[in-house]
Amino acid sequence: MSMIYLDKLQIFIAGIFVLDRYNFPIYNQPMGKVKSKWICQQCGYETAGYLGKCPECGAWGSLVEEVQNDLKPLNISPQGIINNSKPELIKDIKIGNEVRVSSGISEFDRILGGGLVQGSLVLIAGDPGIGKSTILLQTSGNLAGKGKKILYVSAEESSRQVKLRADRLGISSDNLYIYPQTNMESIRAQIEELNPDTVVVDSIQAIYSQTISSSAGSVSQIRECCNILMQIAKTQNITIVVIGHVTKDGNIAGPKILEHMVDTVIYFEGDKYKSYRILRSMKNRFGNTSEVGIFEMGVNGLREVKNPNELFLNERSQDGIPGSAIIVTNEGTRPLLVEIQALVGTTPYPSPRRVANGVDYSRMLQILAVLEKRVGLNLSKQDVYVNVMGGIEIDEPSADLGIAIAIATCARDVVVDSQTVIIGEIGLSGEIHPVTNIDKRLNEAITSGFKKAIIPYANKSVKNDKIQIVPVKRLMDAISACISPQG
Ligand code: TYD
Ligand code: MG
């Protein structure tokens, strides 16, 4: 009897209130205005009901219910386009000079394409502890020193913590405001009141808008907060720099949607346990991408490194060891000399191990396949480890030849001449493809004291009498050319 009574009571309650999926009434939301969506936290896929597996990205258990109140449509799109705009003839569109403001850090300016563009939204992403807050506090200090008004929104640390860091960095200014706040609406109100030139938001994952009921860091919150910040940047011509954390697999948490919305995306990478850090531009609506800036973390914050080659090569043994090769990679407009190391040894496991650090895993497998088929190196029972020294990531194909030579010399226990640099892309039949900016790469090698360069045959027209140039057509020729006579 009592069971039937309870059931009837529940139906009665359901008639009055909206029931959520646990049959709890949602009292505080007006009926008819509540929208509930299930959103994949990996890729942003939206659906009306729960699914165990995301049909878009295939992630399991990644869909989270997010309840959304009816929002007023924003007057501006994520790309900063005002919604009530009219079509214009291209010849009639006036472009003013974009105003760029120097960050006071020349490496940072170079990545931005010459400084921060007034009214742009910039995202700086990186692992926790890499130095994002440090570089932006240093930048804020520099800008404030030049008379700009800066609002530093600290959503993760208290004012005292930020002040301690500022003291360490020697920053003190009348124009730098520290604002510990996580509420987007309060941040917006303060921006209206202070009218700063630049706003730093540390970090986007820690702030929330009260128009959305899901927690800070969820896809809806990140999207909404980013939208609001974009609207502020574009309508009030305020430069906004946003910090974003990356997940374990290297994506910006919360996720790709953030990259699409902002004007500029900059990654801050490096080995947390070493002192150097690399800033890399991934997207820039106002400049070149794939530029890098190199910094060293010291006791007084980040210092620019003007000659990075010394930093990457100074731990290298001058006598040469089997399995080490120096490549010249081209990062944006700057060539960089980097050491690639390989270790090859008989495997104790049933199937051999392949480990790639700093180079693309499938690229390494492809190089191994070419070495087996075209050079006759038998690696089927060998473990292969490849590592880029200095903790940097190389995605340029010109590193192929260096990787192949590091592996081949280690397998054959011979040494590459320590004065030689190796440049070239490898094709599947073992042929060496040309690379871009060969002259710049050679000049960089000469500056660092290298005497010999193995380069692709198709690049052989390059003239340089300060370095011995050895053009090679095939991988086999390259391997014989770079083994030192005593090796
Ligand atoms: P931080 O900027 O807080 O990193 P993020 O905001 O990316 O999480 O930097 C954290 C690390 O940097 C921390 O481990 C301490 C170190 N650090 C220095 O070595 N020297 C310094 O002057 C500062 C400010 C930080
Ligand atoms: Mg931080």
Side-chain angles (χ1 to χ4, degrees):
M1 274 304 282
S2 64
M3 284 299 289
I4 294 166
Y5 177 69
L6 263 180
D7 267 5
K8 282 193 173 156
L9 184 70
Q10 213 170 29
I11 292 164
F12 175 61
I13 292 172
I16 305 173
F17 302 108
V18 181
L19 292 187
D20 76 357
R21 72 200 150 101
Y22 303 114
N23 277 1
F24 290 127
I26 308 166
Y27 294 101
N28 55 355
Q29 284 156 350
M31 274 172 76
K33 293 218 164 185
V34 180
K35 280 189 197 138
S36 166
K37 284 188 225 163
W38 290 81
I39 300 181
C40 172
Q41 302 295 302
Q42 300 286 326
C43 69
Y45 175 82
E46 292 178 10
T47 169
Y50 178 74
L51 297 170
K53 185 182 177 190
C54 172
E56 187 83 13
C57 68
W60 284 93
S62 63
L63 274 85
V64 170
E65 187 179 24
E66 296 188 359
V67 183
Q68 215 168 1
N69 296 340
D70 268 357
L71 297 172
K72 279 189 248 93
L74 290 174
N75 187 28
I76 200 157
S77 78
Q79 286 72 31
I81 298 165
I82 315 276
N83 288 347
N84 55 8
S85 62
K86 296 253 162 34
E88 270 180 273
L89 275 174
I90 192 160
K91 66 181 172 67
D92 297 339
I93 299 173
K94 307 256 178 316
I95 39 167
N97 274 346
E98 60 200 24
V99 182
R100 286 189 187 263
V101 184
S102 165
S103 66
I105 304 174
S106 61
E107 291 282 294
F108 192 21
D109 284 350
R110 206 162 48 79
I111 291 159
L112 291 163
L116 284 161
V117 174
Q118 195 64 39
S120 65
L121 184 59
V122 179
L123 169 71
I124 305 235
D127 286 328
I130 206 82
K132 303 179 293 297
S133 305
T134 307
I135 196 170
L136 288 183
L137 197 58
Q138 281 180 285
T139 305
S140 304
N142 292 342
L143 292 171
K146 281 194 250 163
K148 300 272 178 203
K149 200 194 277 181
I150 316 292
L151 178 66
Y152 189 103
V153 180
S154 177
E156 292 179 356
E157 290 168 298
S158 67
S159 309
R160 215 181 143 268
Q161 279 171 300
V162 180
K163 170 76 178 153
L164 282 173
R165 181 182 289 132
D167 284 349
R168 197 166 160 187
L169 302 171
I171 296 166
S172 151
S173 169
D174 293 340
N175 296 322
L176 175 56
Y177 294 84
I178 307 295
Y179 181 38
Q181 182 59 263
T182 52
N183 183 314
M184 189 61 236
E185 281 68 32
S186 308
I187 295 169
R188 183 176 214 164
Q190 280 306 323
I191 295 175
E192 303 263 311
E193 200 179 315
L194 269 176
N195 194 21
D197 297 290
T198 305
V199 176
V200 175
V201 178
D202 186 359
S203 68
I204 188 84
Q205 278 95 5
I207 58 171
Y208 71 95
S209 164
Q210 62 204 31
T211 53
I212 292 184
S213 64
S214 56
S215 58
S218 64
V219 173
S220 309
Q221 280 293 2
I222 289 178
R223 187 164 24 202
E224 178 61 10
C225 291
C226 194
N227 243 331
I228 297 174
L229 291 170
M230 181 56 114
Q231 194 182 27
I232 297 170
K234 300 295 164 188
T235 53
Q236 299 179 45
N237 198 28
I238 295 175
T239 310
I240 303 185
V241 187
V242 169
I243 289 178
H245 295 294
V246 296
T247 54
K248 263 189 254 125
D249 49 1
N251 291 321
I252 301 172
K256 287 279 173 205
I257 45 161
L258 208 50
E259 286 188 31
H260 296 306
M261 293 167 93
V262 300
D263 294 314
T264 305
V265 180
I266 292 170
Y267 272 85
F268 209 2
E269 356 171 296
D271 194 337
K272 229 192 313 182
Y273 304 103
K274 297 230 170 119
S275 58
Y276 39 86
R277 306 277 186 269
I278 295 154
L279 265 189
R280 191 191 289 270
S281 140
M282 303 299 280
K283 163 183 171 178
N284 195 350
R285 290 196 180 133
F286 308 104
N288 239 351
T289 49
S290 26
E291 285 287 353
V292 295
I294 296 162
F295 295 87
E296 198 171 1
M297 179 68 95
V299 280
N300 299 317
L302 290 156
R303 187 184 65 82
E304 299 171 61
V305 176
K306 299 281 186 214
N307 183 5
N309 296 333
E310 280 170 19
L311 197 71
F312 291 121
L313 298 179
N314 67 357
E315 290 165 19
R316 188 172 64 109
S317 134
Q318 279 305 314
D319 307 332
I321 43 163
S324 157
I326 308 296
I327 59 153
V328 192
T329 161
N330 208 36
E331 299 292 343
T333 55
R334 156 195 272 185
L336 265 187
L337 287 147
V338 184
E339 182 183 3
I340 306 251
Q341 288 192 346
L343 186 64
V344 180
T346 310
T347 184
Y349 307 104
S351 57
R353 294 195 141 199
R354 308 283 185 237
V355 178
N357 275 322
V359 294
D360 183 50
Y361 183 70
S362 53
R363 193 96 200 163
M364 180 192 74
L365 293 185
Q366 183 176 315
I367 294 169
L368 290 178
V370 176
L371 278 170
E372 294 221 27
K373 182 84 181 167
R374 312 288 173 199
V375 181
L377 211 60
N378 184 2
L379 298 164
S380 59
K381 302 260 181 318
Q382 309 277 314
D383 285 337
V384 179
Y385 299 84
V386 173
N387 186 33
V388 180
M389 298 305 285
I392 77 163
E393 297 274 332
I394 294 175
D395 51 11
E396 223 219 340
S398 77
D400 286 0
L401 192 53
I403 299 169
I405 284 174
I407 297 169
T409 54
C410 189
R412 294 191 173 163
D413 207 19
V414 288
V415 173
V416 178
D417 174 35
S418 65
Q419 303 293 302
T420 304
V421 291
I422 298 156
I423 306 162
E425 179 183 347
I426 303 175
L428 288 181
S429 60
E431 79 284 12
I432 310 297
H433 291 281
V435 299
T436 55
N437 294 328
I438 186 77
D439 35 0
K440 265 195 195 169
R441 296 181 204 244
L442 290 178
N443 284 334
E444 194 66 29
I446 294 165
T447 317
S448 295
F450 284 84
K451 301 278 186 295
K452 185 169 155 187
I454 313 283
I455 66 164
Y457 193 80
N459 286 122
K460 78 174 180 20
S461 57
V462 63
K463 295 268 172 299
N464 206 320
D465 48 15
K466 297 204 185 83
I467 192 162
Q468 182 198 349
I469 293 172
V470 185
V472 288
K473 279 190 182 156
R474 313 200 61 78
L475 177 53
M476 199 67 165
D477 312 335
I479 294 175
S480 5
C482 66
I483 294 170
S484 68
Q486 61 275 33

